[in-house]
Amino acid sequence: MKKPKNTSIFGSTNEPHTIIIASGETIRHFTMKPWMAYLGGTLALGLAASYLIATSYLIFRDDLITGSVARQARLQQAYEDRIAALRIQLDRVTSRQLLDQKLMDGKVSELIQRQKALSERTEKLAPVLENAGEAGTLTSTGTNAVVNSDDAEGFYGIDPIITGPATTTRKPAPRDDKGTRSTDKAELLLKSIDRSLTRIESLQARQMMALSNTAYENADRIIDALARTGVKPAPGDAATGTGGPLLLTSASPVSGFDSQYTDLDEALHRLEIARSLAKSVPIANPVPGMPVSSPFGSRADPLLGMIAFHSGMDFRAISGSLVQATASGIVTAADYNGGYGNMVEIDHGNGLATRYGHLSQIFVRVGQRINLGDALGKVGSTGRSTGPHLHYEVRRNGAAVNPVSFLAIGRQLAAQL
């Protein structure tokens, strides 16, 4: 390329650059303007920069790719760790939920069994208490004090948890507006029901023990009082013989309730024997409410005026008043008998007998079985008598004894009979 010369006369002039290419005999030349040179230089610089950038990228590409892969791996590992932690937490929640559900089902089943046991106890106690109530054997402690299923209805019907099976769920327990879990409410409810059932069981046990104590005490009072009349239970009766508190060994399969029930049944049986024995001892009043006009023992004879022995006691009563048997027994005489007039005699066993004299009318016959309180006849003035009254005698082994001691015992045992 030939660079043009500058003239000094007119100043320098810019001539285009000319590029001459000679090849053998062939000569070619190109004229290149300045802007083309600038453009070419710019392109060359651009290509050089691009080459340098591409070369740098190729050099550092592996490091960039490696760093990106490492970051992706770290993110993936963190994500997987988070997923694993959430799975573990979910498994724990599910396991806890299942465990809570199993515990809840177990508690519900236990409460249902306790409710069933209480119902069975009530059914078992009902006939015993009914018989005791009808017989009037319990006086100081009423039978109504024992808790029954009707009294406990409020406890048994608190919630459907008790009346129906519990449902199983794997979902977390829902929360109410206050943030309280429904399972917590169910737990509190079950605890409340458990306390209620425990109170019922405890009250039932205390009342059974109280009834047993009352029955034993009343039986002892009756037997002790009758012993003063010379009457004691027969050796074969359950009211006598060896005994003691019922203490079952730990190896015994009998439950505490069964032990208390057995003790109560024995106490009531003992009391019934004592009461039956008392009914065969003449301790009742033959004409209740009537005053005594002449006592037992020596007195001035109402007809002769001389001192004579009175083998019984006289009750002043209106003619025609009913005369009642003072104890159960068998009629051995029911006819006119000399100075007794119309007389009824009853054999009560244990060597005891009673006589009822001066009757105006007799209702019974010889050999008839008489219960306490049965009507024997009417008050009159037959035989050796000065007016309507009842001559009443108590005899032991054929000898007359004072009826006053028997009547006193009858008044003492009135509450137990």
Side-chain angles (χ1 to χ4, degrees):
M1 183 178 66
K2 181 178 179 180
K3 186 177 180 180
K5 296 181 179 180
N6 296 328
T7 61
S8 58
I9 299 175
F10 298 101
S12 62
T13 59
N14 292 326
E15 294 181 358
H17 296 278
T18 302
I19 299 174
I20 299 174
I21 300 174
S23 176
E25 295 180 355
T26 303
I27 299 174
R28 294 179 180 179
H29 62 89
F30 299 95
T31 301
M32 187 176 59
K33 296 182 179 180
W35 64 269
M36 296 178 64
Y38 294 146
L39 179 61
T42 301
L43 293 173
L45 291 175
L47 290 173
S50 299
Y51 176 78
L52 291 176
I53 291 173
T55 303
S56 299
Y57 172 75
L58 293 176
I59 293 174
F60 296 105
R61 182 183 62 179
D62 293 339
D63 293 338
L64 294 175
I65 292 175
T66 302
S68 176
V69 170
R71 286 193 299 272
Q72 291 293 332
R74 288 194 298 271
L75 291 176
Q76 183 176 359
Q77 184 65 34
Y79 179 77
E80 292 177 353
D81 291 342
R82 179 61 177 170
I83 293 297
L86 290 175
R87 286 179 178 176
I88 293 174
Q89 184 177 1
L90 181 59
D91 291 340
R92 289 178 179 176
V93 171
T94 303
S95 300
R96 179 61 182 273
Q97 188 72 18
L98 291 176
L99 180 61
D100 291 343
Q101 190 64 43
K102 289 181 179 179
L103 293 176
M104 190 72 67
D105 292 343
K107 292 179 179 179
V108 170
S109 177
E110 180 183 355
L111 291 177
I112 292 176
Q113 291 300 324
R114 292 177 62 186
Q115 175 184 351
K116 182 179 179 181
L118 280 176
S119 299
E120 292 176 352
R121 292 178 184 181
T122 301
E123 293 177 358
K124 192 174 182 179
L125 278 174
V128 176
L129 299 179
E130 183 178 358
N131 293 336
E134 291 178 355
T137 55
L138 304 179
T139 56
S140 61
T141 303
T143 57
N144 293 332
V146 177
V147 177
N148 52 39
S149 58
D150 294 334
D151 298 330
E153 182 179 358
F155 297 124
Y156 297 156
I158 289 180
D159 192 83
I161 291 178
I162 298 300
T163 58
T167 57
T168 303
T169 177
R170 293 177 178 269
K171 297 181 180 180
R175 299 174 179 269
D176 57 17
D177 296 338
K178 297 182 180 179
T180 303
R181 295 178 61 183
S182 60
T183 53
D184 295 337
K185 289 185 176 181
E187 183 72 19
L188 293 176
L189 179 59
L190 291 180
K191 289 182 179 179
S192 175
I193 298 174
D194 178 74
R195 288 193 297 267
S196 300
L197 293 178
T198 301
R199 285 195 299 268
I200 295 174
E201 293 171 344
S202 177
L203 178 60
Q204 190 179 60
R206 289 197 305 270
Q207 294 300 333
M208 289 179 64
M209 181 176 294
L211 294 178
S212 297
N213 292 339
T214 301
Y216 277 123
E217 290 173 359
N218 290 345
D220 291 341
R221 291 192 187 98
I222 294 173
I223 293 174
D224 291 343
L226 296 180
R228 295 198 297 271
T229 68
V231 177
K232 295 182 180 180
D237 290 340
T240 62
T242 60
L246 181 62
L247 301 176
L248 300 174
T249 62
S250 58
S252 175
V254 181
S255 66
F257 170 80
D258 291 334
S259 173
Q260 290 180 326
Y261 177 82
T262 301
D263 189 56
L264 176 59
D265 186 57
E266 291 180 355
L268 294 175
H269 182 58
R270 176 183 173 88
L271 179 56
E272 187 60 29
I273 289 177
R275 293 184 70 253
S276 297
L277 181 62
K279 291 179 181 179
S280 66
V281 178
I283 56 177
N285 194 315
V287 280
M290 296 295 103
V292 176
S293 58
S294 181
F296 174 86
S298 298
R299 65 169 183 173
D301 185 80
L303 296 178
L304 302 177
M306 58 188 305
I307 300 299
F309 178 74
H310 188 215
S311 59
M313 58 189 309
D314 294 338
F315 291 88
R316 183 184 299 114
I318 301 173
S319 180
S321 300
L322 291 179
V323 176
Q324 300 176 359
T326 57
S328 59
I330 302 296
V331 177
T332 56
D335 202 351
Y336 197 90
N337 188 358
Y340 287 99
N342 292 325
M343 183 197 75
V344 172
E345 182 177 35
I346 300 176
D347 181 10
H348 305 288
N350 297 304
L352 294 175
T354 53
R355 291 181 177 180
Y356 310 81
H358 309 306
L359 303 179
S360 63
Q361 189 177 354
I362 297 176
F363 296 158
V364 296
R365 64 185 183 277
V366 174
Q368 182 177 345
R369 178 70 185 180
I370 298 298
N371 294 321
L372 172 65
D374 286 350
L376 305 177
K378 293 183 179 180
V379 173
S381 185
T382 60
R384 195 170 184 273
S385 172
T386 60
H389 71 285
L390 172 67
H391 176 81
Y392 175 65
E393 290 185 10
V394 175
R395 291 180 172 266
R396 177 184 286 118
N397 298 322
V401 295
N402 193 348
V404 170
S405 59
F406 288 83
L407 295 176
I409 293 174
R411 288 191 296 270
Q412 177 185 346
L413 298 181
Q416 282 74 41
L417 300 177

